[in-house]
Amino acid sequence: MKNHLQSVVVVTIGAIALAACGHGHHHHGSTVGEAGDAKDVSRTIEVVMTDNMRFAPALINVKQGETIRFVVRNSGQVKHEMVLGTMQELKEHAEMMKKHPNMEHDDPNQAVADPGKAGQMIWRFTKPGEFDFACLQPGHFEAGMVGKVRVEPK
């Protein structure tokens, strides 16, 4: 009985973690935009991620309604990612990543790249304002691996 209860607890915790950090992350579409369609891409922006825990560029300007293809290049020796969100969402997600550092993601608001590799995401910015992006690999966000997207109104 004790082993069964432990199994139920582990499965429940895993399901909660997946819902919070996996495909259940649907709230990004309402706050920073929505997944874009490749046929609507107006331009490509390359973002380089480095092991000094920085993005280049760290400030990106786009226009409301614009669909951007982000190509993220990892010039470092450790895995990096670019995740779009509000600062509150990114902080919450970073805390979840600390608790579950090996969790894999496949959300439209992020691109992951292994060392020496590149990843991409296509994103449509539907609302004007300032939004954030960060690397949420454990310790990277805390080390200052963050950037900002300014979305100019139409």
Side-chain angles (χ1 to χ4, degrees):
M1 180 69 173
K2 182 179 177 185
N3 283 344
H4 175 71
L5 184 57
Q6 287 174 331
S7 295
V8 169
V9 169
V10 168
V11 168
T12 301
I13 290 171
I16 291 168
L18 283 174
C21 222
H23 293 284
H25 249 252
H26 298 296
H27 60 272
H28 288 289
S30 64
T31 57
V32 299
E34 61 192 20
D37 190 320
K39 69 179 175 42
D40 298 326
V41 169
S42 56
R43 63 187 167 120
T44 298
I45 297 174
E46 183 172 308
V47 179
V48 177
M49 303 177 293
T50 65
D51 288 348
N52 67 354
M53 304 302 156
R54 296 295 180 261
F55 290 100
L59 175 61
I60 297 168
N61 292 299
V62 301
K63 290 181 174 53
Q64 182 181 0
E66 194 171 16
T67 300
I68 303 293
R69 178 188 318 274
F70 289 98
V71 174
V72 295
R73 297 201 186 284
N74 184 346
S75 67
Q77 301 299 308
V78 298
K79 186 177 187 177
H80 291 295
E81 64 187 359
M82 178 182 174
V83 182
L84 292 166
T86 65
M87 188 52 71
Q88 182 62 37
E89 289 168 340
L90 295 172
K91 286 178 181 177
E92 290 171 6
H93 197 152
E95 286 301 312
M96 180 64 70
M97 290 295 290
K98 282 184 196 173
K99 295 175 183 156
H100 306 282
N102 296 319
M103 189 172 293
E104 293 294 326
H105 302 86
D106 188 23
D107 294 324
N109 67 313
Q110 70 170 28
V112 180
D114 288 322
K117 303 286 185 193
Q120 75 169 3
M121 77 173 123
I122 298 174
W123 195 255
R124 182 172 177 262
F125 291 92
T126 58
K127 299 178 183 180
E130 288 195 348
F131 302 101
D132 301 285
F133 59 91
C135 180
L136 301 180
Q137 293 295 310
H140 296 199
F141 178 75
E142 296 78 5
M145 196 164 182
V146 297
K148 190 163 289 296
V149 177
R150 286 192 186 132
V151 183
E152 298 172 27
K154 287 183 180 180

